[in-house]
Amino acid sequence: MKKKLFVLVLLAVMTLGLFAGCAKQEEFVVGFDASFPPYGYVENGEYVGFDIDLAKEVAKRNGWNIKLQAIDWNSKDFELNSGTISCIWNGFTMNGREDKYTWTRAYVDNSQVVVVKADSGINELSDLAGKTVAVQDDSSALAVLTNTEDNDEMLALAATFNKLDKVGDYDTAFMNLASGAVDAIAMDIGVAQFKVKAGGDKYKILDKQLASEQYGVGFRQGSDLAQALSDFFAASYADGSMVECAETYGIQAALIAQ
């Protein structure tokens, strides 16, 4: 009887250990904007994009259970701080936010540009005087045009607009541009290039950029996952898989050597 009891106790301990091991397995919840191509968007009912592919690969290499969580970009900080998501990863600009998050190393160079209709007659930034310019709410482009610290040139430019029209996402911005509700869109160059290419000859990007910046992945302050992603960026750049993935989306020139 003692032997049987010992076996039963041993089995119970092993079972509890198994469940404890499962409970400790990381769930990696990626918060992203699902209308931000080529970094994260919907195609044929599936979430795809450069950042989505990288997130899946880092989860695979680390044995994490990944969950792709499309979020309202305006609510990203609430989602992160409440623990609903593990990180903000989707063309997320580090510049000006350095102290708000624990960041990975930068992995993509980015810039802010202006998109207009090809036949609009708008060819220079100065031609935006008296025009309505759309911008995504809580975006880098909005910050570039409204930041009051050492930003006289962009503030002067924005002051010439008839209106700076904040929208929730770039799909809405382009619908408004197509309909004539706005005259231009200030936005990230990667998304701009993707949208302009998809539009055929309907749109163009003005030559002069508004600003340049870098992308990283933002975590809650103190998170130890940021270092794991930085290590992944270095490894995947070195083995060529990051470059190959970037080539799929036509953004290889924007990669930062790791």
Side-chain angles (χ1 to χ4, degrees):
M1 288 293 294
K2 289 183 178 179
K3 184 176 181 181
K4 289 182 178 178
L5 181 60
F6 174 77
V7 171
L8 289 172
V9 170
L10 181 60
L11 287 172
V13 170
M14 291 174 65
T15 301
L16 287 172
L18 177 62
F19 280 115
C22 291
K24 290 179 181 178
Q25 188 173 16
E26 292 281 1
E27 181 177 47
F28 185 47
V29 186
V30 177
F32 70 102
D33 179 351
S35 61
F36 198 75
Y39 298 95
Y41 58 106
V42 179
E43 185 174 85
N44 298 323
E46 300 288 335
Y47 293 133
V48 297
F50 177 63
D51 284 347
I52 300 301
D53 288 355
L54 291 184
K56 289 179 178 178
E57 181 63 20
V58 72
K60 178 181 176 181
R61 295 190 187 191
N62 286 278
W64 300 335
N65 291 322
I66 188 170
K67 179 181 179 183
L68 301 174
Q69 183 65 55
I71 59 173
D72 180 341
W73 199 243
N74 290 334
S75 303
K76 61 185 181 295
D77 288 335
F78 172 79
E79 300 278 6
L80 184 66
N81 294 327
S82 67
T84 306
I85 59 177
S86 306
C87 64
I88 304 170
W89 188 351
N90 200 197
F92 193 30
T93 300
M94 304 172 70
N95 307 70
R97 299 182 172 119
E98 290 87 350
D99 298 330
K100 289 188 65 177
Y101 310 91
T102 293
W103 288 99
T104 64
R105 62 201 299 167
Y107 66 107
V108 169
D109 270 322
N110 186 51
S111 56
Q112 299 301 316
V113 297
V114 174
V115 176
V116 297
K117 284 184 176 180
D119 61 357
S120 65
I122 300 172
N123 300 304
E124 308 287 343
L125 293 181
S126 59
D127 295 332
L128 295 171
K131 307 297 185 183
T132 298
V133 179
V135 65
Q136 187 182 34
D137 201 6
D138 200 26
S139 67
S140 297
L142 176 61
V144 165
L145 292 167
T146 59
N147 178 28
T148 58
E149 186 175 347
D150 298 324
N151 192 38
D152 291 346
E153 182 182 2
M154 289 298 104
L155 287 175
L157 173 66
T160 69
F161 301 164
N162 175 56
K163 182 182 180 184
L164 189 60
D165 187 33
K166 291 184 283 188
V167 297
D169 56 73
Y170 287 121
D171 289 340
T172 300
F174 271 88
M175 284 191 291
N176 291 347
L177 182 60
S179 70
V182 302
D183 302 292
I185 308 170
M187 60 192 302
D188 292 39
I189 192 170
V191 192
Q193 290 172 334
F194 185 92
K195 291 286 194 180
V196 168
K197 182 178 179 180
D201 58 357
K202 291 172 61 178
Y203 308 111
K204 66 180 181 182
I205 300 172
L206 299 188
D207 289 336
K208 187 174 181 180
Q209 298 177 351
L210 301 176
S212 61
E213 58 198 18
Q214 296 178 323
Y215 285 161
V217 181
F219 290 82
R220 286 184 296 279
Q221 289 282 9
S223 172
D224 58 0
L225 288 179
Q227 185 58 53
L229 257 69
S230 290
D231 293 343
F232 163 72
F233 286 156
S236 61
Y237 188 89
D239 66 28
S241 56
M242 178 188 279
V243 177
E244 183 179 352
C245 183
E247 288 172 347
T248 302
Y249 297 97
I251 58 171
Q252 63 272 20
L255 287 184
I256 297 172
Q258 302 293 305

Coordinates of all heavy atoms in Angstrom, one line a residue, residues 14-83:
M14 N 4.1 15.2 -10.6 CA 4.5 15.3 -12.0 C 3.5 16.1 -12.8 O 3.8 16.9 -13.6 CB 4.8 14.0 -12.6 CG 6.1 13.3 -12.0 SD 6.3 11.6 -12.7 CE 6.5 12.0 -14.4
T15 N 2.2 15.7 -12.5 CA 1.1 16.4 -13.2 C 1.0 17.9 -12.9 O 0.9 18.7 -13.7 CB -0.3 15.7 -12.8 OG1 -0.2 14.4 -13.2 CG2 -1.4 16.4 -13.6
L16 N 1.2 18.2 -11.6 CA 1.2 19.6 -11.2 C 2.4 20.4 -11.8 O 2.2 21.5 -12.2 CB 1.3 19.7 -9.6 CG 0.1 19.4 -8.8 CD1 0.4 19.3 -7.4 CD2 -1.1 20.4 -9.1
G17 N 3.5 19.7 -11.9 CA 4.7 20.3 -12.5 C 4.4 20.6 -14.0 O 4.8 21.6 -14.5
L18 N 3.7 19.6 -14.7 CA 3.4 19.8 -16.1 C 2.5 21.0 -16.3 O 2.7 21.9 -17.1 CB 2.7 18.6 -16.6 CG 2.2 18.6 -18.1 CD1 3.4 18.8 -19.0 CD2 1.5 17.3 -18.4
F19 N 1.5 21.2 -15.4 CA 0.6 22.3 -15.6 C 1.3 23.6 -15.2 O 1.0 24.6 -15.8 CB -0.7 22.1 -14.7 CG -1.7 21.2 -15.2 CD1 -2.0 20.0 -14.6 CD2 -2.4 21.5 -16.4 CE1 -3.0 19.2 -15.2 CE2 -3.3 20.7 -17.0 CZ -3.6 19.5 -16.3
A20 N 2.2 23.5 -14.2 CA 2.9 24.8 -13.9 C 3.8 25.2 -15.0 O 3.9 26.4 -15.3 CB 3.8 24.5 -12.6
G21 N 4.4 24.2 -15.7 CA 5.2 24.5 -16.9 C 4.4 25.2 -18.0 O 4.9 26.1 -18.6
C22 N 3.2 24.7 -18.2 CA 2.4 25.3 -19.2 C 2.0 26.7 -18.9 O 1.9 27.6 -19.7 CB 1.1 24.4 -19.4 SG 1.4 22.8 -20.2
A23 N 1.7 26.9 -17.6 CA 1.3 28.2 -17.1 C 2.4 29.3 -17.3 O 2.1 30.4 -17.6 CB 0.9 28.2 -15.6
K24 N 3.7 28.8 -17.2 CA 4.8 29.7 -17.3 C 5.1 30.0 -18.8 O 5.9 30.9 -19.1 CB 6.0 29.1 -16.6 CG 5.9 29.1 -15.1 CD 7.1 28.5 -14.5 CE 7.0 28.4 -13.0 NZ 8.2 27.8 -12.3
Q25 N 4.6 29.3 -19.7 CA 4.9 29.5 -21.1 C 4.5 30.9 -21.5 O 3.4 31.3 -21.2 CB 4.3 28.4 -22.0 CG 4.7 28.5 -23.5 CD 4.1 27.4 -24.3 OE1 3.2 26.7 -23.8 NE2 4.7 27.1 -25.4
E26 N 5.4 31.6 -22.2 CA 5.1 33.0 -22.5 C 3.9 33.1 -23.5 O 3.9 32.4 -24.5 CB 6.3 33.7 -23.1 CG 7.5 33.9 -22.1 CD 7.2 35.1 -21.2 OE1 6.2 35.7 -21.4 OE2 8.1 35.3 -20.4
E27 N 3.0 34.0 -23.3 CA 2.0 34.4 -24.3 C 2.5 35.8 -24.8 O 2.5 36.8 -24.0 CB 0.6 34.5 -23.8 CG -0.3 34.8 -25.0 CD -1.8 34.8 -24.6 OE1 -2.1 35.4 -23.5 OE2 -2.6 34.3 -25.3
F28 N 2.8 35.9 -26.1 CA 3.3 37.2 -26.6 C 2.2 37.8 -27.4 O 1.8 37.3 -28.5 CB 4.5 36.8 -27.5 CG 5.2 38.0 -28.1 CD1 5.5 39.1 -27.3 CD2 5.6 38.0 -29.4 CE1 6.2 40.2 -27.9 CE2 6.2 39.1 -30.0 CZ 6.6 40.1 -29.2
V29 N 1.6 38.9 -26.9 CA 0.4 39.5 -27.5 C 0.9 40.8 -28.2 O 1.3 41.8 -27.5 CB -0.7 39.9 -26.5 CG1 -1.9 40.4 -27.2 CG2 -1.0 38.7 -25.7
V30 N 0.9 40.8 -29.5 CA 1.4 41.9 -30.3 C 0.3 42.9 -30.6 O -0.7 42.5 -31.3 CB 2.1 41.4 -31.6 CG1 2.5 42.6 -32.4 CG2 3.2 40.4 -31.3
G31 N 0.4 44.1 -30.1 CA -0.6 45.1 -30.4 C -0.2 45.9 -31.7 O 1.0 46.4 -31.7
F32 N -1.1 46.0 -32.6 CA -0.7 46.7 -33.9 C -1.9 47.3 -34.6 O -3.0 47.0 -34.3 CB 0.0 45.6 -34.9 CG -1.0 44.6 -35.4 CD1 -1.5 44.7 -36.7 CD2 -1.4 43.5 -34.6 CE1 -2.4 43.8 -37.2 CE2 -2.3 42.6 -35.1 CZ -2.8 42.7 -36.4
D33 N -1.6 48.2 -35.5 CA -2.6 48.9 -36.3 C -2.8 48.0 -37.5 O -1.9 47.9 -38.3 CB -2.1 50.3 -36.6 CG -3.1 51.1 -37.5 OD1 -4.1 50.5 -38.0 OD2 -2.8 52.3 -37.7
A34 N -4.0 47.5 -37.7 CA -4.3 46.6 -38.9 C -4.5 47.3 -40.2 O -4.8 46.7 -41.2 CB -5.5 45.8 -38.6
S35 N -4.3 48.7 -40.2 CA -4.4 49.4 -41.5 C -3.1 50.2 -41.7 O -3.2 51.4 -42.1 CB -5.6 50.3 -41.4 OG -5.5 51.3 -40.4
F36 N -2.0 49.5 -41.5 CA -0.7 50.2 -41.6 C 0.3 49.4 -42.5 O 1.3 48.9 -42.1 CB -0.1 50.4 -40.2 CG 1.0 51.5 -40.2 CD1 0.7 52.8 -40.2 CD2 2.3 51.1 -40.0 CE1 1.7 53.8 -40.1 CE2 3.3 52.0 -40.0 CZ 3.0 53.4 -40.0
P37 N -0.1 49.3 -43.8 CA 0.8 48.5 -44.7 C 2.1 49.3 -45.0 O 2.0 50.5 -45.0 CB -0.1 48.3 -46.0 CG -1.0 49.5 -45.9 CD -1.3 49.8 -44.5
P38 N 3.2 48.6 -45.3 CA 3.3 47.2 -45.4 C 3.7 46.5 -44.1 O 4.2 45.4 -44.0 CB 4.5 47.1 -46.4 CG 5.3 48.2 -46.1 CD 4.4 49.4 -45.7
Y39 N 3.6 47.2 -42.9 CA 4.0 46.7 -41.6 C 3.0 45.8 -41.0 O 3.3 44.8 -40.4 CB 4.4 47.8 -40.7 CG 5.6 48.6 -41.3 CD1 5.4 49.8 -42.0 CD2 6.9 48.2 -41.1 CE1 6.4 50.5 -42.6 CE2 8.0 48.9 -41.6 CZ 7.7 50.0 -42.4 OH 8.8 50.7 -42.9
G40 N 1.7 46.2 -41.1 CA 0.6 45.3 -40.6 C -0.7 45.7 -41.2 O -1.1 46.9 -41.2
Y41 N -1.3 44.7 -41.8 CA -2.6 45.0 -42.5 C -3.4 43.7 -42.8 O -2.9 42.6 -42.4 CB -2.4 45.8 -43.8 CG -1.5 45.1 -44.9 CD1 -2.0 44.5 -46.0 CD2 -0.1 45.0 -44.7 CE1 -1.2 43.9 -46.9 CE2 0.7 44.4 -45.6 CZ 0.2 43.9 -46.7 OH 1.0 43.2 -47.7
V42 N -4.5 43.8 -43.4 CA -5.4 42.6 -43.6 C -5.3 42.3 -45.1 O -5.6 43.2 -45.9 CB -6.8 42.9 -43.2 CG1 -7.7 41.6 -43.5 CG2 -6.9 43.2 -41.7
E43 N -5.1 41.1 -45.4 CA -5.1 40.6 -46.8 C -5.8 39.2 -46.9 O -5.3 38.3 -46.2 CB -3.7 40.6 -47.4 CG -3.6 40.2 -48.9 CD -2.2 40.3 -49.4 OE1 -1.5 39.3 -49.3 OE2 -1.9 41.4 -49.9
N44 N -6.8 39.1 -47.7 CA -7.6 37.9 -47.8 C -8.0 37.4 -46.4 O -8.0 36.2 -46.1 CB -6.7 36.8 -48.5 CG -6.4 37.2 -49.9 OD1 -7.2 37.8 -50.6 ND2 -5.2 36.8 -50.3
G45 N -8.4 38.3 -45.5 CA -8.9 37.9 -44.2 C -7.9 37.6 -43.2 O -8.2 37.2 -42.1
E46 N -6.6 37.7 -43.5 CA -5.5 37.4 -42.6 C -4.6 38.6 -42.3 O -4.5 39.5 -43.1 CB -4.6 36.3 -43.3 CG -5.3 35.0 -43.6 CD -5.6 34.2 -42.3 OE1 -5.0 34.4 -41.3 OE2 -6.6 33.4 -42.4
Y47 N -4.1 38.6 -41.1 CA -3.1 39.7 -40.8 C -1.8 39.4 -41.4 O -1.2 38.3 -41.2 CB -3.0 39.8 -39.2 CG -4.2 40.3 -38.5 CD1 -4.7 39.6 -37.4 CD2 -4.9 41.4 -39.0 CE1 -5.8 40.1 -36.7 CE2 -6.1 41.8 -38.3 CZ -6.5 41.2 -37.2 OH -7.6 41.6 -36.5
V48 N -1.3 40.3 -42.1 CA 0.0 40.2 -42.8 C 0.8 41.4 -42.7 O 0.4 42.4 -42.2 CB -0.2 39.8 -44.3 CG1 -0.9 38.5 -44.5 CG2 -0.9 41.0 -45.0
G49 N 2.1 41.4 -43.1 CA 3.0 42.5 -43.1 C 4.3 42.2 -42.6 O 4.6 41.1 -42.0
F50 N 5.3 43.1 -42.8 CA 6.6 43.0 -42.4 C 6.8 42.7 -40.9 O 7.4 41.8 -40.4 CB 7.5 44.2 -42.8 CG 8.9 44.1 -42.4 CD1 9.8 43.2 -42.8 CD2 9.4 45.1 -41.5 CE1 11.1 43.1 -42.4 CE2 10.7 45.1 -41.1 CZ 11.6 44.1 -41.6
D51 N 6.1 43.6 -40.1 CA 6.2 43.5 -38.6 C 5.5 42.2 -38.1 O 6.0 41.6 -37.2 CB 5.6 44.7 -37.9 CG 6.6 45.9 -38.0 OD1 7.7 45.7 -38.3 OD2 6.1 47.0 -37.7
I52 N 4.4 41.9 -38.8 CA 3.7 40.7 -38.4 C 4.6 39.4 -38.7 O 4.6 38.5 -37.8 CB 2.4 40.5 -39.2 CG1 1.5 41.7 -39.0 CG2 1.7 39.2 -38.9 CD1 1.1 41.9 -37.5
D53 N 5.3 39.4 -39.8 CA 6.1 38.3 -40.1 C 7.3 38.2 -39.1 O 7.6 37.1 -38.6 CB 6.7 38.4 -41.5 CG 5.7 38.1 -42.6 OD1 4.5 37.8 -42.3 OD2 6.0 38.3 -43.8
L54 N 7.9 39.3 -38.7 CA 8.9 39.3 -37.7 C 8.4 38.8 -36.4 O 9.1 38.1 -35.7 CB 9.5 40.7 -37.6 CG 10.4 41.2 -38.8 CD1 11.0 42.6 -38.4 CD2 11.5 40.3 -39.2
A55 N 7.2 39.3 -36.0 CA 6.7 38.9 -34.7 C 6.4 37.4 -34.7 O 6.7 36.7 -33.6 CB 5.4 39.6 -34.5
K56 N 6.0 36.8 -35.7 CA 5.7 35.3 -35.8 C 7.1 34.6 -35.7 O 7.2 33.6 -35.0 CB 5.0 35.0 -37.1 CG 3.6 35.4 -37.1 CD 2.9 35.0 -38.5 CE 1.5 35.4 -38.5 NZ 0.9 35.0 -39.9
E57 N 8.1 35.1 -36.3 CA 9.4 34.5 -36.3 C 10.1 34.5 -34.9 O 10.6 33.5 -34.5 CB 10.3 35.1 -37.4 CG 11.7 34.4 -37.5 CD 11.6 33.0 -37.9 OE1 10.6 32.5 -38.4 OE2 12.6 32.2 -37.6
V58 N 10.0 35.7 -34.3 CA 10.6 35.8 -32.9 C 9.9 34.9 -31.9 O 10.5 34.3 -31.0 CB 10.7 37.2 -32.4 CG1 9.3 37.8 -32.0 CG2 11.6 37.3 -31.2
A59 N 8.6 34.8 -32.1 CA 7.8 33.9 -31.2 C 8.2 32.4 -31.4 O 8.4 31.7 -30.5 CB 6.3 34.1 -31.4
K60 N 8.4 32.1 -32.7 CA 8.8 30.7 -33.0 C 10.1 30.4 -32.4 O 10.3 29.3 -31.9 CB 8.8 30.6 -34.6 CG 9.2 29.2 -35.0 CD 9.3 29.2 -36.6 CE 9.8 27.8 -37.1 NZ 9.8 27.8 -38.6
R61 N 11.1 31.3 -32.6 CA 12.4 31.0 -32.1 C 12.5 31.0 -30.6 O 13.4 30.3 -30.0 CB 13.4 32.1 -32.6 CG 13.6 32.1 -34.1 CD 14.7 33.0 -34.6 NE 14.7 33.1 -36.0 CZ 15.7 33.7 -36.7 NH1 16.8 34.2 -36.0 NH2 15.7 33.8 -38.0
N62 N 11.6 31.7 -29.9 CA 11.6 31.7 -28.4 C 10.6 30.8 -27.8 O 10.6 30.7 -26.5 CB 11.4 33.1 -27.9 CG 12.7 34.0 -28.1 OD1 13.6 34.0 -27.3 ND2 12.7 34.8 -29.2
G63 N 9.8 30.1 -28.6 CA 8.8 29.2 -28.0 C 7.6 29.9 -27.3 O 7.0 29.3 -26.4
W64 N 7.3 31.1 -27.8 CA 6.2 31.9 -27.2 C 4.9 31.6 -28.0 O 4.9 31.3 -29.2 CB 6.4 33.4 -27.3 CG 7.7 33.8 -26.6 CD1 8.3 33.3 -25.5 CD2 8.4 35.0 -26.9 NE1 9.4 34.0 -25.1 CE2 9.5 35.1 -26.0 CE3 8.3 36.0 -27.8 CZ2 10.4 36.1 -25.9 CZ3 9.2 37.1 -27.8 CH2 10.3 37.1 -26.9
N65 N 3.8 31.6 -27.3 CA 2.5 31.6 -27.9 C 2.2 33.0 -28.4 O 2.0 33.9 -27.6 CB 1.4 31.1 -27.0 CG 1.6 29.6 -26.6 OD1 1.9 28.8 -27.5 ND2 1.3 29.3 -25.4
I66 N 2.0 33.2 -29.7 CA 1.8 34.5 -30.2 C 0.3 34.8 -30.4 O -0.4 33.9 -30.9 CB 2.6 34.8 -31.5 CG1 2.5 36.3 -31.9 CG2 2.1 33.9 -32.6 CD1 3.4 36.7 -33.0
K67 N -0.1 36.0 -30.1 CA -1.5 36.4 -30.4 C -1.4 37.8 -31.1 O -0.7 38.7 -30.5 CB -2.3 36.5 -29.1 CG -3.7 37.0 -29.4 CD -4.5 37.2 -28.1 CE -5.9 37.7 -28.3 NZ -6.7 37.8 -27.0
L68 N -1.9 37.9 -32.2 CA -1.9 39.2 -33.0 C -3.2 40.0 -32.6 O -4.3 39.5 -32.9 CB -1.9 38.9 -34.5 CG -0.7 38.1 -35.0 CD1 -0.8 37.8 -36.4 CD2 0.6 38.9 -34.7
Q69 N -3.0 41.1 -31.9 CA -4.1 41.9 -31.4 C -4.2 43.2 -32.1 O -3.5 44.1 -31.8 CB -4.0 42.1 -29.9 CG -5.1 42.8 -29.2 CD -6.4 42.0 -29.3 OE1 -6.4 40.9 -28.9 NE2 -7.4 42.6 -29.8
A70 N -5.1 43.3 -33.1 CA -5.4 44.6 -33.7 C -6.0 45.6 -32.7 O -6.9 45.2 -32.0 CB -6.3 44.4 -34.9
I71 N -5.5 46.8 -32.7 CA -5.9 47.8 -31.7 C -6.2 49.1 -32.3 O -5.8 49.4 -33.4 CB -4.8 48.0 -30.6 CG1 -3.5 48.5 -31.2 CG2 -4.6 46.7 -29.8 CD1 -2.5 48.9 -30.2
D72 N -7.0 49.9 -31.6 CA -7.3 51.3 -32.0 C -6.0 52.0 -31.6 O -5.6 52.0 -30.4 CB -8.5 51.8 -31.2 CG -8.8 53.3 -31.5 OD1 -7.9 54.0 -32.0 OD2 -9.9 53.7 -31.2
W73 N -5.3 52.7 -32.5 CA -4.1 53.3 -32.3 C -4.1 54.3 -31.2 O -3.2 54.5 -30.4 CB -3.5 53.9 -33.6 CG -2.0 54.2 -33.5 CD1 -1.4 55.4 -33.6 CD2 -1.0 53.2 -33.4 NE1 0.0 55.2 -33.5 CE2 0.2 53.9 -33.4 CE3 -1.0 51.8 -33.3 CZ2 1.5 53.2 -33.3 CZ3 0.2 51.1 -33.2 CH2 1.4 51.9 -33.2
N74 N -5.3 55.0 -31.0 CA -5.4 56.0 -30.0 C -5.4 55.4 -28.6 O -5.1 56.0 -27.6 CB -6.8 56.8 -30.1 CG -6.7 57.7 -31.3 OD1 -5.7 58.1 -31.7 ND2 -7.9 58.0 -31.9
S75 N -5.7 54.1 -28.5 CA -5.8 53.4 -27.2 C -4.6 52.5 -26.9 O -4.6 51.7 -26.0 CB -7.1 52.5 -27.2 OG -8.2 53.2 -27.5
K76 N -3.5 52.7 -27.7 CA -2.4 51.8 -27.6 C -1.7 51.8 -26.2 O -1.3 50.8 -25.6 CB -1.3 52.1 -28.6 CG -0.7 53.5 -28.6 CD 0.2 53.7 -29.8 CE 0.8 55.1 -29.8 NZ -0.2 56.1 -30.0
D77 N -1.6 53.0 -25.6 CA -1.0 53.1 -24.3 C -1.9 52.4 -23.2 O -1.4 51.8 -22.3 CB -0.8 54.6 -23.9 CG 0.4 55.2 -24.7 OD1 1.2 54.4 -25.2 OD2 0.4 56.4 -24.9
F78 N -3.2 52.6 -23.3 CA -4.1 52.0 -22.4 C -4.0 50.4 -22.5 O -3.9 49.7 -21.5 CB -5.5 52.4 -22.6 CG -6.6 51.6 -21.8 CD1 -6.8 51.9 -20.5 CD2 -7.3 50.6 -22.4 CE1 -7.7 51.2 -19.8 CE2 -8.2 49.8 -21.7 CZ -8.4 50.1 -20.3
E79 N -4.0 50.0 -23.7 CA -3.8 48.5 -24.0 C -2.5 48.0 -23.4 O -2.5 46.9 -22.8 CB -3.9 48.2 -25.5 CG -5.2 48.7 -26.2 CD -6.3 47.7 -26.0 OE1 -6.1 46.7 -25.3 OE2 -7.3 47.9 -26.7
L80 N -1.5 48.7 -23.6 CA -0.2 48.3 -23.1 C -0.1 48.3 -21.5 O 0.3 47.3 -20.9 CB 0.9 49.1 -23.6 CG 2.4 48.7 -23.3 CD1 2.7 47.4 -23.9 CD2 3.4 49.8 -23.7
N81 N -0.5 49.4 -20.9 CA -0.4 49.6 -19.5 C -1.4 48.7 -18.7 O -1.1 48.3 -17.6 CB -0.6 51.0 -19.1 CG 0.5 51.9 -19.6 OD1 1.7 51.5 -19.7 ND2 0.2 53.1 -20.0
S82 N -2.5 48.3 -19.4 CA -3.5 47.4 -18.7 C -3.1 46.0 -18.8 O -3.7 45.1 -18.2 CB -4.8 47.6 -19.3 OG -4.9 47.2 -20.6
G83 N -2.0 45.7 -19.6 CA -1.6 44.3 -19.8 C -2.3 43.5 -20.9 O -2.1 42.3 -21.1

